[in-house]
Amino acid sequence: MRKVGIISFVGIVGTGLLLRYTIVPDEEKMLKSLSPETRAIYERNKVQRREQHDKIMEQMIESAKSDKPIWKKMSENKGVNIKNEKQADTAPTPQNTPIFTAPLPTAAAVSSETADALATQNPALLSMLQGRLGSLIGAPSGYIDSLPKAVRERVDGLRCLQQQHTDIDKKLHLEIFELEKKYSELYAPLYARRTEIVQGAAEPTDAEKEEGAKIAEAEKEDAEVESGITEAPEDGEDAEEATGIPEFWLTALRNHPQLAELITDRDEGAIKFLRDIRLVYLSDKPGFKLEFEFAENPYFSNSVLSKTYVYEQSDVAGDLEFGSAQGTEIDWKPENDLSVTVETKKQRHKTSNRTRVVKKTVPAETFFSFFATVEEPESDDDSELADETRDRIELDYELAEEFKEKIVPCAIDWFTGKALAYEGLDEEEYDDGFMDDYYDDEDDDDEDDDEDDDDVDDLSRSAKDAAEPPQCKNQ
């Protein structure tokens, strides 16, 4: 049996070699089929292409081995002249058109076609060059080490001065943060007064009304400011019953272009119960907390939803950067959970034609995803899901900065629409998909579910099935 197997294997291999020799022509056979003129052009171009290839390889190897800065070494490479100075024919004809495309003219910009050619002709050399050039990314070029000792010592002296500069920058940014905390205490009485008026716990004084009316009149005269409030309604019974400023925060958030894309129609019902948004600085470390206070509502049990952001100080520039964020777990009431939607559809058995109603819970887009805690992926994770998560975290930090620097300090301007003018924002400039990356991407499994529906086994009815009896479908 073993000999038979060996003989069969040899026979198969021999047959393959015979077919290749018979069917695939070699270069000599191909040249014999060409006319003498075309054959001469082919041979001349072949020699030129080999010379060009050798010159490119020499320049690539020389650049990879050199200790000079890459920019300096590449500037010395004048490239390869691929023009045929002796060829007089310029019009593209079958006689003067090369069968193969020549490489690009410079070694600094070798095309992917050249790389493919290198991989075919000498894959080991290509791998060596890729490894060598790849290791140069972010690595010293060797230029500093090639300088005289006295010059290198002066460079080290400048490095020392730069580090001292960075240390001062770190102190500067920390003092700026402490200054923000100090002034937040001065703002606190104003925010408290604003909350009282918005919630209806107090009325503005006559002096506040008079000064505010002057500001409103000045804004009307300013052509650049377009208030979100058009015409004042006539006073009636509803005006007497209104407490505070109804839907103040919902209107303010809706006037912000990015936040407006986050807020769905379902979210509006819950945000109407929003009483206040507060900015609280952390006392033990650089950072802040955003607190959203809600009145009792039918959506969730939490009275306050918060998100805490902690800064990290950069070792390079000394500035404060977002380091981490911690959200709040929302205690949703089952009947009004905005984070999910319930899809209802019918499943049909392919043989019995019975149908049953199946309910499936799927994640939903909602403004309240802002309060979720998103874990940072590992630094070496380059998967698509990791990239999407990093994009979402970056957007989350941007939104936090918007709340901290714009929404909380200037809520009334966002309510009236004045902020759109002095922020230079125009809602028409934002595409409908501007905030698409903020939401989790969920795969649409409806088609797969539909395929599975036809394969549902005719199982015995459970208690749940009895509660929802199958319907008979007549064909």
Side-chain angles (χ1 to χ4, degrees), residues 162-163 165-167 169-170 313-319 321:
Q162 185 61 46
Q163 183 59 47
H165 187 283
T166 301
D167 293 340
D169 278 342
K170 290 182 178 180
Q313 194 161 29
S314 170
D315 292 332
V316 178
D319 53 347
E321 304 172 341

Side-chain angles (χ1 to χ4, degrees), residues 178 181 281-285 287:
E178 292 298 325
K181 292 173 62 176
Y281 285 89
L282 304 182
S283 58
D284 56 341
K285 51 191 170 184

Side-chain angles (χ1 to χ4, degrees), residues 133-257:
L133 295 175
S135 64
L136 293 177
I137 299 177
S141 64
Y143 170 69
I144 301 299
D145 294 336
S146 66
L147 296 175
K149 181 180 179 181
V151 178
R152 294 200 307 270
E153 290 176 347
R154 297 183 189 114
V155 172
D156 291 339
L158 296 182
R159 285 171 173 161
C160 178
L161 295 177
Q162 185 61 46
Q163 183 59 47
Q164 294 176 18
H165 187 283
T166 301
D167 293 340
I168 296 175
D169 278 342
K170 290 182 178 180
K171 295 179 181 179
L172 170 64
H173 290 290
L174 288 176
E175 289 187 11
I176 291 176
F177 179 75
E178 292 298 325
L179 195 62
E180 287 184 9
K181 292 173 62 176
K182 174 184 176 181
Y183 274 83
S184 69
E185 297 178 359
L186 301 178
Y187 297 140
L190 302 178
Y191 296 154
R193 179 65 176 161
R194 179 181 67 188
T195 301
E196 291 177 350
I197 297 175
V198 169
Q199 296 180 6
E203 293 293 335
T205 64
D206 293 339
E208 291 171 341
K209 294 177 184 178
E210 183 179 354
E211 184 64 26
K214 292 180 181 179
I215 297 174
E217 189 65 28
E219 291 175 358
K220 290 180 181 179
E221 296 176 358
D222 188 350
E224 295 182 358
V225 177
E226 296 182 1
S227 174
I229 303 175
T230 54
E231 296 181 359
E234 296 181 0
D235 293 341
E237 294 181 359
D238 293 341
E240 294 295 335
E241 296 177 358
T243 301
I245 304 179
E247 302 180 9
F248 174 83
W249 288 105
L250 174 60
T251 305
L253 299 183
R254 271 296 194 186
N255 281 337
H256 190 284

Side-chain angles (χ1 to χ4, degrees), residues 63-80:
S63 298
K65 292 181 178 180
S66 175
D67 290 333
K68 294 183 179 180
I70 296 178
W71 62 266
K72 190 173 183 179
K73 188 61 185 176
M74 286 302 180
S75 65
E76 297 175 357
N77 294 334
K78 302 303 181 181
V80 181

Side-chain angles (χ1 to χ4, degrees), residues 195-469:
T195 301
E196 291 177 350
I197 297 175
V198 169
Q199 296 180 6
E203 293 293 335
T205 64
D206 293 339
E208 291 171 341
K209 294 177 184 178
E210 183 179 354
E211 184 64 26
K214 292 180 181 179
I215 297 174
E217 189 65 28
E219 291 175 358
K220 290 180 181 179
E221 296 176 358
D222 188 350
E224 295 182 358
V225 177
E226 296 182 1
S227 174
I229 303 175
T230 54
E231 296 181 359
E234 296 181 0
D235 293 341
E237 294 181 359
D238 293 341
E240 294 295 335
E241 296 177 358
T243 301
I245 304 179
E247 302 180 9
F248 174 83
W249 288 105
L250 174 60
T251 305
L253 299 183
R254 271 296 194 186
N255 281 337
H256 190 284
Q258 293 103 313
L259 294 174
E261 292 194 16
L262 283 178
I263 299 174
T264 66
D265 293 339
R266 298 174 67 212
D267 293 331
E268 289 189 2
I271 299 178
K272 288 180 181 179
F273 292 91
L274 182 58
R275 294 165 56 88
D276 193 19
I277 302 178
R278 294 186 293 268
L279 171 65
V280 180
Y281 285 89
L282 304 182
S283 58
D284 56 341
K285 51 191 170 184
F288 63 92
K289 178 191 293 187
L290 295 171
E291 295 182 342
F292 294 71
E293 180 186 344
F294 286 85
E296 185 176 354
N297 62 83
Y299 295 91
F300 44 81
S301 303
N302 312 67
S303 60
V304 176
L305 300 179
S306 65
K307 193 155 191 181
T308 304
Y309 295 88
V310 178
Y311 288 126
E312 292 180 353
Q313 194 161 29
S314 170
D315 292 332
V316 178
D319 53 347
L320 297 178
E321 304 172 341
F322 283 103
S324 62
Q326 183 69 35
T328 300
E329 183 176 355
I330 302 177
D331 186 14
W332 291 105
K333 296 180 180 180
E335 64 276 11
N336 287 321
D337 188 348
L338 300 178
S339 65
V340 296
T341 56
V342 179
E343 294 182 353
T344 303
K345 63 179 180 178
K346 294 181 179 180
Q347 286 184 342
R348 178 182 60 82
H349 196 278
K350 63 182 180 180
T351 56
S352 65
N353 285 332
R354 287 184 175 181
T355 61
R356 64 176 181 179
V357 178
V358 177
K359 294 183 179 181
K360 180 181 179 182
T361 301
V362 296
E365 295 183 352
T366 174
F367 163 79
F368 293 92
S369 298
F370 172 76
F371 298 100
T373 300
V374 184
E375 299 295 337
E376 179 79 28
E378 297 294 334
S379 57
D380 57 349
D381 188 353
D382 56 356
S383 64
E384 183 178 354
L385 177 60
D387 291 338
E388 292 174 355
T389 302
R390 294 187 185 98
D391 290 340
R392 182 181 177 186
I393 292 175
E394 183 178 354
L395 286 172
D396 179 69
Y397 290 156
E398 291 178 2
L399 289 175
E401 196 69 16
E402 291 292 305
F403 277 111
K404 174 178 176 287
E405 300 293 337
K406 299 178 181 180
I407 300 296
V408 173
C410 307
I412 182 59
D413 290 343
W414 290 103
F415 176 79
T416 62
K418 175 183 176 182
L420 293 173
Y422 65 69
E423 288 288 344
L425 299 175
D426 185 357
E427 291 184 87
E428 295 180 356
E429 294 179 0
Y430 292 88
D431 296 333
D432 292 339
F434 181 77
M435 298 296 293
D436 287 348
D437 291 337
Y438 186 78
Y439 296 109
D440 288 330
D441 292 334
E442 299 293 338
D443 294 334
D444 187 3
D445 299 329
D446 290 343
E447 294 183 1
D448 296 337
D449 292 341
D450 291 340
E451 294 177 0
D452 296 338
D453 294 346
D454 294 336
D455 300 330
V456 176
D457 295 331
D458 192 9
L459 302 175
S460 60
R461 291 171 58 190
S462 62
K464 182 177 180 180
D465 295 329
E468 298 179 356

Side-chain angles (χ1 to χ4, degrees), residues 53 56-57 60 103-104 109-123 125-127 129-130:
H53 174 270
I56 290 176
M57 293 303 303
M60 292 180 66
L104 289 177
V110 181
S111 67
S112 59
E113 295 180 359
T114 305
D116 293 339
L118 290 176
T120 302
Q121 299 174 11
N122 197 334
L125 178 59
L126 177 62
S127 177
L129 288 175
Q130 288 176 337

